[in-house]
Amino acid sequence: MKRLTAKEEEIMEFFWEKGPLFVKEIQKFYDDPKPHFNTLSTIVRGLEDKGFLAHEAFGNTYRYYANVSKEEFSAKTLKGVISKYFNNSYLSAVSTLVKKEEISIDELKELIRKVENAHNKNE
């Protein structure tokens, strides 16, 4: 899965939250000064080229919709971070979070319980 720029991810959030949208509708979500229609249109077409969006035609205009769920994007992004920065080791990533006190021991214990419960359900 290709990476997204900050602006592309911001626009994808609109699709994930609101569902199918026309470019003019996206413009309404911004405060003044609003981005130009052509700028948004270019970004949306780029997202479609990357496979994140698809469209349906309504006359001579398009309504775009997410072609990738937020969950799928999040999972692939996390996998990329783990691969790039933690040598494909989820254990290393979690250890770093514990060491930096970004996750407490109680939260880690809860995570272990959830993993064990999910594993037991799959048996």
Side-chain angles (χ1 to χ4, degrees), residues 28-85:
K28 295 175 186 175
F29 301 134
Y30 287 95
D31 294 327
D32 289 329
K34 296 183 184 304
H36 193 274
F37 175 87
N38 290 343
T39 301
L40 292 175
S41 184
T42 299
I43 295 169
V44 166
R45 285 193 315 273
L47 286 166
E48 186 174 30
D49 290 343
K50 289 181 176 183
F52 286 90
L53 295 177
H55 73 267
E56 53 189 340
F58 285 86
N60 62 351
T61 189
Y62 295 141
R63 183 171 70 171
Y64 294 88
Y65 57 91
N67 205 28
V68 173
S69 71
K70 184 172 185 175
E71 293 75 21
E72 182 182 0
F73 174 73
S74 296
K76 298 236 179 178
T77 300
L78 178 59
K79 187 174 182 173
V81 168
I82 299 294
S83 173
K84 183 174 182 178
Y85 298 105

